[in-house]
Amino acid sequence: MSELGTLEDLPLDYRQALSAQNLVPLWPSLRAVLPLGQPGPRTRATMWSYKSLRPLLMQAGELTPIEKAERRVLVLANPGHGLEKMQASSSMYLGMQLLLPGEWAPPHRHTPNAVRMIVEGTGAYTTVNGEKCPMQRGDLILTPTGLWHEHGHDGDEAVVWLDVLDLPLVYYMEASYAVEGEKQDVIPRRGDREYLRGGVVPSPVFTRDTSAYPMLRYPWVDVRAALEALAADRPGSDAVQVAYVNPEDGSSCQNILGFSALMLRPGETLALPARSPAMVFHVIEGGALVSADDTAFTLAEADTCCVPGFARVTLKNRSTTEPAFIFIADESPLHRKLGLYEVRA
Ligand SMILES: [Fe+2]
């Protein structure tokens, strides 16, 4: 690869003449925007320990009343992007949100898509477009773009969940905004009841649900059972993984980010191919060793880490007697839609 000319190679008066007309020479920056072979990600492999962040999150509960926070969140920010950017990767935002008994986070809707992965506590709920979704450890609840949502808490212990949003991308597109609304009227919950069995969907008088988000809550008890059934049926070396999809058409459950759950058998090591999207791993149960190129993290229950695209990732269950269950968020739907999705052997 040949060395290209730098900005400093150019006479100062020439550079000033360019700037005066809002012009920039490409060649000094060409390799930065088009690196050879593979991207040079700002996203850095980063881990957030739940045990370490939890006291600070609980302290936020004492320092800032919900009325002053609206959403009481500590953002899991990637230092590679700069903490102030509040992003885990180019397109993913992660936040740990705390809701205390009796608190209520008022209704709003926004252009970025969000999901919640419940981390601890019971008694809280999220009402999404009128469907009141109870929150239990490991449940995945969608609040897709444009859908009204509010959080409430009828229980008696702190509830924490992990928010995953495509906020950095939507913000970058200058398309990010929110609208505040009135408390929602609750309607009967549908999705996680109507799509309880794979292979059949409701079709009253031969009609099908064509709404973009027919299922808003994916209970962990069902997802875990699906993983255990897969593991029992495939005792070989196949990865035990399920994707969270739209049950009507099988597409990713949201447009930009993809979500899946993975079970590592006791003692199992799983090498993932290098793929273009960045990934987030969050341990629902058990513990795992996550290595990404030259970085390795030991993840305990409720810990979270992020790895950049094109990293060579290996996941290892730390226990030889118990399975580990991992929630994965990634940018696959976005990459596929843009024609950028790549897998390297
Ligand atoms: Fe929201």
Side-chain angles (χ1 to χ4, degrees):
M1 124 178 168
S2 62
E3 283 293 313
L4 302 180
T6 68
L7 213 50
E8 291 69 35
D9 292 341
L10 299 169
L12 186 60
D13 59 343
Y14 177 71
R15 282 149 60 187
Q16 285 167 342
L18 291 177
S19 298
Q21 296 191 46
N22 295 325
L23 299 170
V24 177
L26 173 61
W27 59 96
S29 305
L30 183 62
R31 297 281 190 246
V33 293
L34 279 176
L36 298 173
Q38 73 176 51
R42 277 191 295 277
T43 302
R44 214 182 282 166
T46 306
M47 177 200 160
W48 298 268
S49 153
Y50 187 63
K51 196 176 162 209
S52 303
L53 73 81
R54 189 180 186 282
L56 295 171
L57 187 58
M58 294 303 150
Q59 211 178 335
E62 294 158 20
L63 293 170
T64 308
I66 193 74
E67 300 75 29
K68 288 285 178 192
E70 224 167 85
R71 264 53 177 180
R72 195 192 287 110
V73 177
L74 294 183
V75 178
L76 279 49
N78 193 305
H81 289 271
L83 299 185
E84 72 288 354
K85 292 281 171 49
M86 297 196 300
Q87 54 193 98
S89 72
S90 70
S91 307
M92 290 189 282
Y93 156 106
L94 301 173
M96 280 289 177
Q97 183 157 174
L98 169 67
L99 197 68
L100 294 170
E103 288 184 338
W104 182 63
H108 70 183
R109 59 181 185 175
H110 38 69
T111 46
N113 296 273
V115 302
R116 344 233 154 255
M117 162 55 52
I118 317 310
V119 176
E120 72 163 281
T122 56
Y125 61 86
T126 293
T127 305
V128 188
N129 263 19
E131 293 191 40
K132 187 174 176 179
C133 301
M135 299 169 121
Q136 303 271 6
R137 171 70 182 145
D139 290 352
L140 184 74
I141 297 170
L142 310 188
T143 51
T145 179
L147 268 57
W148 290 108
H149 54 283
E150 64 195 81
H151 314 301
H153 196 335
D154 300 329
D156 52 16
E157 56 187 7
V159 168
V160 177
W161 63 84
L162 175 68
D163 289 312
V164 187
L165 279 77
D166 48 28
L167 177 62
L169 177 76
V170 179
Y171 179 76
Y172 171 76
M173 293 169 67
E174 301 184 346
S176 177
Y177 70 94
V179 178
E180 295 181 324
E182 300 295 316
K183 193 167 174 42
Q184 301 169 71
D185 294 327
V186 174
I187 59 171
R189 206 169 79 237
R190 300 176 45 235
D192 57 338
R193 298 178 192 276
E194 300 199 343
Y195 298 103
L196 209 53
R197 295 276 178 263
V200 289
V201 296
S203 62
V205 199
F206 307 99
T207 59
R208 292 278 294 275
D209 187 336
T210 55
S211 63
Y213 308 103
M215 187 162 173
L216 296 170
R217 176 173 178 261
Y218 298 74
W220 175 236
V221 61
D222 295 327
V223 177
R224 194 186 195 284
L227 288 167
E228 292 211 301
L230 272 179
D233 285 354
R234 303 180 182 198
S237 55
D238 259 6
V240 182
Q241 186 172 359
V242 294
Y244 294 88
V245 299
N246 174 333
E248 287 285 349
D249 65 12
S251 65
S252 295
C253 65
Q254 288 191 342
N255 284 322
I256 294 175
L257 302 181
F259 306 97
S260 51
L262 176 83
M263 172 179 155
L264 292 172
R265 302 172 182 91
E268 182 175 359
T269 299
L270 180 67
L272 302 175
R275 304 182 315 132
S276 53
M279 284 185 283
V280 165
F281 301 102
H282 171 80
V283 178
I284 300 178
E285 288 180 37
L289 203 70
V290 178
S291 66
D293 294 332
D294 303 331
T295 312
F297 303 120
T298 302
L299 265 60
E301 204 164 289
D303 288 351
T304 306
C305 76
C306 173
V307 303
F310 291 97
R312 290 179 191 282
V313 176
T314 302
L315 307 172
K316 182 175 169 49
N317 185 352
R318 290 163 58 210
S319 169
T320 52
T321 53
E322 299 297 323
F325 294 93
I326 299 173
F327 171 66
I328 305 174
D330 82 340
E331 301 161 337
S332 293
L334 174 67
H335 281 226
R336 287 198 164 99
K337 280 171 182 144
L338 297 179
L340 300 172
Y341 188 76
E342 204 181 317
V343 182
R344 295 190 178 177

Short mmCIF file of all heavy atoms in Angstrom, two decimals, residues 49-63 74 98 120 160:
data_model
loop_
_atom_site.label_atom_id
_atom_site.label_comp_id
_atom_site.label_asym_id
_atom_site.label_seq_id
_atom_site.Cartn_x
_atom_site.Cartn_y
_atom_site.Cartn_z
N SER A 49 -19.48 -4.85 34.36
CA SER A 49 -19.82 -5.80 35.42
C SER A 49 -21.07 -5.32 36.13
O SER A 49 -21.13 -4.18 36.61
CB SER A 49 -18.65 -5.90 36.40
OG SER A 49 -19.12 -6.28 37.68
N TYR A 50 -22.06 -6.20 36.24
CA TYR A 50 -23.31 -5.81 36.91
C TYR A 50 -23.08 -5.58 38.39
O TYR A 50 -23.60 -4.63 38.97
CB TYR A 50 -24.39 -6.87 36.68
CG TYR A 50 -25.72 -6.42 37.20
CD1 TYR A 50 -26.35 -5.30 36.66
CD2 TYR A 50 -26.36 -7.07 38.25
CE1 TYR A 50 -27.57 -4.85 37.14
CE2 TYR A 50 -27.57 -6.63 38.74
CZ TYR A 50 -28.17 -5.52 38.18
OH TYR A 50 -29.38 -5.07 38.66
N LYS A 51 -22.24 -6.46 38.97
CA LYS A 51 -21.96 -6.33 40.41
C LYS A 51 -21.32 -4.97 40.72
O LYS A 51 -21.59 -4.37 41.75
CB LYS A 51 -21.01 -7.47 40.82
CG LYS A 51 -20.92 -7.71 42.29
CD LYS A 51 -20.04 -8.92 42.59
CE LYS A 51 -19.61 -8.88 44.05
NZ LYS A 51 -18.33 -9.52 44.27
N SER A 52 -20.49 -4.48 39.81
CA SER A 52 -19.82 -3.20 40.04
C SER A 52 -20.73 -2.01 39.77
O SER A 52 -20.63 -0.99 40.44
CB SER A 52 -18.58 -3.08 39.14
OG SER A 52 -17.71 -4.15 39.38
N LEU A 53 -21.59 -2.13 38.75
CA LEU A 53 -22.42 -0.95 38.41
C LEU A 53 -23.67 -0.85 39.26
O LEU A 53 -24.24 0.22 39.45
CB LEU A 53 -22.76 -0.94 36.92
CG LEU A 53 -23.79 -1.93 36.33
CD1 LEU A 53 -25.21 -1.48 36.53
CD2 LEU A 53 -23.53 -2.10 34.83
N ARG A 54 -24.11 -2.00 39.82
CA ARG A 54 -25.38 -2.03 40.55
C ARG A 54 -25.43 -1.02 41.71
O ARG A 54 -26.42 -0.29 41.85
CB ARG A 54 -25.67 -3.44 41.05
CG ARG A 54 -27.06 -3.60 41.63
CD ARG A 54 -27.31 -5.03 42.12
NE ARG A 54 -28.69 -5.20 42.54
CZ ARG A 54 -29.19 -4.78 43.70
NH1 ARG A 54 -28.41 -4.17 44.56
NH2 ARG A 54 -30.46 -4.97 44.00
N PRO A 55 -24.36 -0.93 42.55
CA PRO A 55 -24.42 0.05 43.65
C PRO A 55 -24.61 1.48 43.13
O PRO A 55 -25.31 2.29 43.76
CB PRO A 55 -23.07 -0.10 44.35
CG PRO A 55 -22.59 -1.46 43.97
CD PRO A 55 -23.12 -1.74 42.60
N LEU A 56 -23.99 1.81 42.00
CA LEU A 56 -24.10 3.16 41.44
C LEU A 56 -25.51 3.40 40.89
O LEU A 56 -26.04 4.51 40.98
CB LEU A 56 -23.05 3.37 40.34
CG LEU A 56 -21.61 3.32 40.83
CD1 LEU A 56 -20.63 3.32 39.66
CD2 LEU A 56 -21.32 4.49 41.77
N LEU A 57 -26.10 2.35 40.35
CA LEU A 57 -27.47 2.47 39.84
C LEU A 57 -28.44 2.67 41.01
O LEU A 57 -29.35 3.53 40.94
CB LEU A 57 -27.82 1.21 39.04
CG LEU A 57 -29.15 1.22 38.28
CD1 LEU A 57 -29.24 2.38 37.30
CD2 LEU A 57 -29.36 -0.10 37.54
N MET A 58 -28.23 1.91 42.10
CA MET A 58 -29.08 2.05 43.28
C MET A 58 -28.91 3.44 43.90
O MET A 58 -29.86 4.05 44.37
CB MET A 58 -28.77 0.96 44.31
CG MET A 58 -29.11 -0.44 43.85
SD MET A 58 -30.84 -0.62 43.38
CE MET A 58 -30.71 -1.90 42.14
N GLN A 59 -27.67 3.94 43.85
CA GLN A 59 -27.40 5.29 44.36
C GLN A 59 -28.14 6.34 43.53
O GLN A 59 -28.64 7.33 44.08
CB GLN A 59 -25.89 5.54 44.29
CG GLN A 59 -25.38 6.47 45.37
CD GLN A 59 -23.87 6.64 45.29
OE1 GLN A 59 -23.16 5.77 44.77
NE2 GLN A 59 -23.39 7.76 45.79
N ALA A 60 -28.24 6.10 42.22
CA ALA A 60 -29.01 7.01 41.37
C ALA A 60 -30.45 7.07 41.84
O ALA A 60 -31.11 8.11 41.75
CB ALA A 60 -28.92 6.57 39.91
N GLY A 61 -30.94 5.91 42.35
CA GLY A 61 -32.30 5.86 42.87
C GLY A 61 -32.50 6.78 44.07
O GLY A 61 -33.58 7.30 44.29
N GLU A 62 -31.41 6.97 44.85
CA GLU A 62 -31.49 7.87 46.01
C GLU A 62 -31.23 9.32 45.61
O GLU A 62 -31.81 10.24 46.15
CB GLU A 62 -30.44 7.45 47.06
CG GLU A 62 -30.72 6.08 47.67
CD GLU A 62 -29.46 5.45 48.27
OE1 GLU A 62 -28.49 6.19 48.55
OE2 GLU A 62 -29.44 4.22 48.44
N LEU A 63 -30.34 9.51 44.64
CA LEU A 63 -29.92 10.86 44.27
C LEU A 63 -30.94 11.57 43.39
O LEU A 63 -31.10 12.79 43.48
CB LEU A 63 -28.58 10.80 43.52
CG LEU A 63 -27.36 10.35 44.32
CD1 LEU A 63 -26.18 10.11 43.40
CD2 LEU A 63 -27.02 11.40 45.38
N LEU A 74 -28.31 4.37 33.72
CA LEU A 74 -26.87 4.54 33.55
C LEU A 74 -26.52 3.92 32.20
O LEU A 74 -26.78 2.73 31.97
CB LEU A 74 -26.09 3.87 34.68
CG LEU A 74 -26.28 4.48 36.07
CD1 LEU A 74 -25.40 3.76 37.10
CD2 LEU A 74 -25.96 5.98 36.08
N LEU A 98 -33.31 1.65 36.18
CA LEU A 98 -33.82 1.28 37.51
C LEU A 98 -35.21 1.88 37.71
O LEU A 98 -35.42 3.08 37.51
CB LEU A 98 -32.88 1.83 38.59
CG LEU A 98 -33.39 1.77 40.03
CD1 LEU A 98 -33.52 0.33 40.52
CD2 LEU A 98 -32.46 2.56 40.96
N GLU A 120 -33.26 -7.89 36.88
CA GLU A 120 -33.62 -8.37 38.22
C GLU A 120 -34.91 -7.73 38.70
O GLU A 120 -35.31 -6.67 38.22
CB GLU A 120 -32.50 -8.10 39.23
CG GLU A 120 -32.32 -6.65 39.61
CD GLU A 120 -31.50 -6.48 40.91
OE1 GLU A 120 -32.06 -6.67 42.00
OE2 GLU A 120 -30.29 -6.17 40.80
N VAL A 160 -34.61 -3.82 37.61
CA VAL A 160 -33.59 -3.31 36.70
C VAL A 160 -33.71 -4.03 35.37
O VAL A 160 -33.95 -5.24 35.34
CB VAL A 160 -32.17 -3.54 37.28
CG1 VAL A 160 -31.10 -3.06 36.30
CG2 VAL A 160 -32.00 -2.84 38.62
#
